[in-house]
Each structure stands twice: as structure tokens, then as C-alpha cells.
Amino acid sequence: MGSNPLKLGVLVSGRGSNLQAIIDAIERGDLEAQIAVVISDKEQAYALERARKHGIEALFIDPRAYKSREEHEKVVGDYLEERGVGLICLAGYMRILSPYFVKRFQWRIMNIHPALLPSFPGLHGQKQALDYGVKISGCTVHFVDEETDHGPIIIQAAVPVLEDDDEDTLSARILEYEHKIYPRAIQLFAQGRLEIQGRRVRVKGAPGNTWAVVNPPLEG
Ligand code: GRF
């Protein structure tokens, strides 16, 4: 890792398995970044405990303590800036960010969504996919813009929907790929290889295609 690794601020609300995948990728040496701070809007989020176990600063910032969404976001943003965060990773953060926050950190916020956007944005992407009857779903890492689950797409992984899937089994299959593609997308950012051109994100300087993941590989 270089002497000035990219500093991440990870925003969470719940169990934090994507946070764990990021921590693990850093510890394995697959991701040249460091997590400067983890911030939750929920005091009981297990993600906070995961961070602390790895010696990472973990803060609960209670939205109810502020008069408006922007006021809460201003405090969160100040914490992130004070710690020199260069990229904010939303990892199961259950709050919609206001235009104020998105503009303040423009193209420095990523999100992971458990569906192949633009299909099934919003809550319960996996259930939406099942109910709709698609045969393939997956997950998407994208930059955050002012619309929910909408910004330029960095990596997607496709996952089959099986005959006897329910929400839990499909979610688990998708989650496995979330954990692969989120650290990979962050690493591309850390390497300065992502270039946003309108809605398209170009990945500079890589041989082959590592940002569209199809599982399982096609046979026959
Ligand atoms: C993941 O499915 C992610 O795609 C979605 O929220 C869930 C968070 O899970 N945005 P975890 O807290 O990272 O385990």
C-alpha cells in the first residue's frame, strides 16, 4: 500500500456484511485503501461492532437529534471531511441522501444495490425481482447521484434466479457477489481508473473485462 492510501468513510445501518467484505479485502491486500471511519444512523447496527473489532473508528450519529435531514447530513459530512475521506461507501445505509450531501461529495459516493439496475430500485430489490419473475438478477455498484439507485454504473454481477428460490435464497446468492464486486469497484476508484462520461463509467487501463461478472459462466 502506498504511503497515502485512499481513505474511506463507510455509512451503514445494519448487519454490515458489505463493510466486512471491504475490511477483509483491505486486510488481504486486495484493496489499497483504509477505512477512516464507519458511521451509522442506527445505534444497534452490528456493522459498528464489526468496525470496532478491527480497530476502526465507529460512530452512531442519531438523525433524531437534528431538526432536518440536511442538518444531520452536515454533521456526518463534517466528520467525513475532518478524517480526510476521499470516497464514501454506502453499505446498507437506509437513508436517502439529500441533493445537498450528494453535491458536497459529488462523484465521491458509491452505493451497492441488490438488483441489476435500472431494474428494481428502492427497497427489497431481491423480492421485486422474484415477484416480477425475472430469470436473472444480480447486483450493481454505482456512483450516487441525486436520484435513488440511479447514478452511473461501475460494476454489475448477474446471478441466476432458480426455480425454487425464495427471497432469502436469492438474497444470499446475490450477496456473495456483492461482496466480490464492491471491493473491486472501490479498488478501481483507488487506482484512479474510473472516468465518468455522462451515464457511462469507463475503466481505464485494464486488459479484459472485470466489471461485468456473469455467474455461472455460460456453457454449451
Ligand atoms: C445489501 O443487500 C446491499 O446491497 C443493500 O443493503 C444490504 C446491506 O447488507 N444496499 P449489509 O448490511 O452490507 O450486510
Side-chain angles (χ1 to χ4, degrees):
M1 197 186 293
S3 54
N4 264 326
L6 172 71
K7 289 190 178 157
L8 307 176
V10 185
L11 304 189
V12 296
S13 299
R15 72 187 160 180
S17 71
N18 278 287
L19 167 68
Q20 190 68 54
I22 296 167
I23 294 173
D24 293 346
I26 293 171
E27 292 187 351
R28 280 197 311 271
D30 290 344
L31 173 52
E32 297 154 86
Q34 84 187 43
I35 302 179
V37 64
V38 171
I39 298 178
S40 174
D41 64 329
K42 296 267 180 348
E43 193 166 19
Q44 299 309 325
Y46 182 58
L48 290 173
E49 214 169 297
R50 291 186 194 261
R52 290 185 188 120
K53 277 190 193 153
H54 290 263
I56 298 165
E57 183 182 25
L59 303 171
F60 161 56
I61 303 180
D62 189 353
R64 290 168 306 185
Y66 302 92
K67 278 200 266 349
S68 67
R69 178 163 65 150
E70 279 80 359
E71 261 184 57
H72 172 250
E73 288 179 343
K74 186 178 178 315
V75 173
V76 171
D78 289 349
Y79 272 106
L80 294 165
E81 244 166 32
E82 278 160 21
R83 283 153 185 78
V85 164
L87 179 70
I88 298 166
C89 301
L90 308 183
Y93 191 55
M94 298 305 285
R95 304 184 70 76
I96 293 181
L97 298 170
S98 74
Y100 152 75
F101 192 87
V102 173
K103 280 203 193 84
R104 179 169 170 185
F105 297 100
Q106 196 171 33
W107 306 137
R108 290 194 292 135
I109 312 173
M110 270 185 202
N111 182 42
I112 179 125
H113 182 74
L116 290 177
L117 293 173
S119 292
F120 315 126
L123 291 176
H124 310 297
Q126 305 96 327
K127 182 169 189 305
Q128 291 186 56
L130 264 183
D131 291 350
Y132 196 91
V134 294
K135 301 296 186 190
I136 296 174
S137 192
C139 45
T140 304
V141 182
H142 64 95
F143 284 110
V144 170
D145 68 6
E146 290 179 22
E147 284 176 56
T148 304
D149 299 329
H150 174 269
I153 290 169
I154 304 164
I155 304 188
Q156 292 187 302
V159 168
V161 180
L162 303 182
E163 213 53 50
D164 52 1
D165 265 337
D166 57 25
E167 191 181 353
D168 288 343
T169 57
L170 179 59
S171 299
R173 191 173 314 116
I174 292 173
L175 194 63
E176 211 181 297
Y177 281 83
E178 294 186 34
H179 296 164
K180 292 184 203 295
I181 68 172
Y182 210 179
R184 195 185 289 185
I186 298 166
Q187 171 68 352
L188 291 172
F189 184 95
Q191 293 173 321
R193 287 170 56 192
L194 299 180
E195 203 170 86
I196 301 173
Q197 295 172 0
R199 275 216 53 87
R200 300 187 73 178
V201 179
R202 304 285 188 175
V203 182
K204 294 185 285 187
N209 177 350
T210 54
W211 36 96
V213 181
V214 180
N215 168 61
L218 295 175
E219 280 167 23

